[in-house]
Amino acid sequence: MRPRRPPANPPARARPGGGRAAPAAGGGVRHGLARVLSKAGLCSRTEAARWIAAGRVSVDGRTIRDPEFPIQAGRQQVRVDGQPLDAAPRIYLMLNKPRGLVTTVQDEQGRDTVYRCFDGAGLPWLAPVGRLDKASEGLLLFSNDPQWAAALMDPATGPDKTYHVQVDGIPEASRLAAFCAGIEDEGEFLAARAVNLLRTGEKTSWLEVTLDEGRNRHIRRLLAAFDLQVLRLVRIGIGGLRLGELPKGQWRMLQMEDRRQLEAAAGPG
C-alpha cells in the first residue's frame, strides 16, 4: 500500500468581507454567526445569512441580525427559532448520482443539480460529502454532520474510493502499472492506488480504479495523459461501502453498519 502524502499546511482562511477569524478575549477564536450555523450543518452560509436577517437567530437570548456577528461556538448559546444548534438530528445518506447533474445546491448556469433527487422528500439541509463532476455518476454521500464529513474527505486519512471506468482503448499491463506510478499534471501529482482490467470489447474496456485521494477530474486527467478517453465513470465504492443495487437517481439512509464500514476505512483523526 503506497503511503499517503501529508497535506500541505493550509493558509489562514479569510472571513467574507476580507477579515480573518478574530481572537476572542480569554482565548479561543470567534467566527461570524452565519459561518457558525453553516459549520453546525444546519444550512448553507447564504441561507444562514437570510435566517439571521429575518430575526430567527439569537445569541445568549438576544436576537442578532448581523451575519458577521462574532461568537465563540460552544461558549455562547446560539438558537434558531428558539431551538439550540445541536437539536437537529444528524442524517447520513447515500445517493446513486445520475450522469448530467452537478454537485452543488444552486448552479449559476441553471443546470440541474443533485438536489433534484431529493425533491418532495422533506429532508433537512444536507451537504455533499465530496463531489462527482457532471459527467460522472455513482455513489455520493450527504450529511448534516460537518465533522463526520470532514473526516471522510481528509486527503491524508479519508477512505479509498473505487470507480469503474470505461475507456476508448485496451491498455496493456505496462500502462496499467504506469497509472499507479503516476504523473505530474498542471503542478499536481496524479496517481491511482490500484488499477485492474475488468473486461474488454473490440475497441473499449472497463477498468477498476482505486484512489486514495481525489483531485479535480483526477481519473480523467490521469488517463488522458496516456491517450485514453473516459467514456463513462461510475463511483462504486467508498471504503467498505458499496453502491450495490441502489437504482440510479435514488437514495437511502446509511445504516449503522454502513457508517462503521466508512469510518473503519478512514485513518485516525
Side-chain angles (χ1 to χ4, degrees):
M1 177 175 177
R2 193 177 71 250
R4 302 178 191 269
R5 294 185 301 282
N9 292 329
R13 292 187 178 179
R15 289 174 55 195
R20 286 188 172 86
V29 176
R30 296 187 297 178
H31 296 285
L33 182 55
R35 181 182 186 274
V36 170
L37 295 185
S38 175
K39 290 298 184 182
L42 294 183
C43 57
S44 68
R45 197 177 301 190
T46 300
E47 186 67 15
R50 294 194 190 102
W51 290 2
I52 294 165
R56 296 176 57 187
V57 183
S58 66
V59 177
D60 292 337
R62 181 164 64 98
T63 298
I64 302 297
R65 295 182 183 271
D66 176 12
E68 293 303 319
F69 181 82
I71 70 165
Q72 282 183 274
R75 295 283 188 92
Q76 294 169 277
Q77 188 179 73
V78 181
R79 291 177 176 266
V80 178
D81 297 331
Q83 298 298 315
L85 289 190
D86 58 1
R90 294 307 189 188
I91 291 178
Y92 312 85
L93 64 81
M94 59 185 284
L95 168 72
N96 186 349
K97 175 193 175 294
R99 188 173 184 173
L101 301 181
V102 292
T103 308
T104 186
V105 180
Q106 292 181 331
D107 183 65
E108 294 179 354
Q109 302 177 39
R111 297 172 295 181
D112 283 338
T113 78
V114 290
Y115 287 90
R116 188 187 72 179
C117 299
F118 305 138
D119 285 350
L123 294 169
W125 161 257
L126 298 171
V129 183
R131 292 182 178 274
L132 287 172
D133 63 37
K134 180 182 176 183
S136 300
E137 52 195 292
L139 179 55
L140 185 60
L141 302 176
F142 289 80
S143 180
N144 59 355
D145 185 339
Q147 293 177 329
W148 182 82
L152 293 186
M153 291 190 292
D154 189 313
T157 62
D160 292 345
K161 300 171 180 64
T162 305
Y163 303 79
H164 285 177
V165 186
Q166 185 185 32
V167 296
D168 64 343
I170 304 175
E172 62 279 5
S174 60
R175 268 205 287 182
L176 297 181
F179 300 152
C180 297
I183 60 156
E184 289 286 340
D185 181 68
E186 299 178 1
E188 294 183 312
F189 180 75
L190 304 177
R193 179 168 176 252
V195 182
N196 296 297
L197 184 63
L198 292 176
R199 58 184 182 273
T200 63
E202 290 185 6
K203 297 182 179 180
T204 65
S205 58
W206 280 89
L207 310 175
E208 182 172 273
V209 180
T210 302
L211 301 181
D212 56 12
E213 62 178 345
R215 301 182 182 274
N216 184 39
R217 297 175 59 82
H218 191 134
I219 293 176
R220 298 179 191 277
R221 292 162 58 196
L222 174 62
L223 299 189
F226 294 92
D227 299 319
L228 285 174
Q229 179 185 357
V230 172
L231 304 177
R232 192 177 173 195
L233 191 153
V234 185
R235 183 155 67 195
I236 59 99
I238 300 176
L241 180 66
R242 288 296 180 262
L243 184 62
E245 300 300 321
L246 184 65
K248 193 171 298 184
Q250 299 298 305
W251 58 273
R252 71 169 178 84
M253 294 293 182
L254 295 183
Q255 303 301 313
M256 185 59 69
E257 181 57 30
D258 298 324
R259 290 170 55 192
R260 286 197 191 101
Q261 290 176 332
L262 287 167
E263 292 156 11

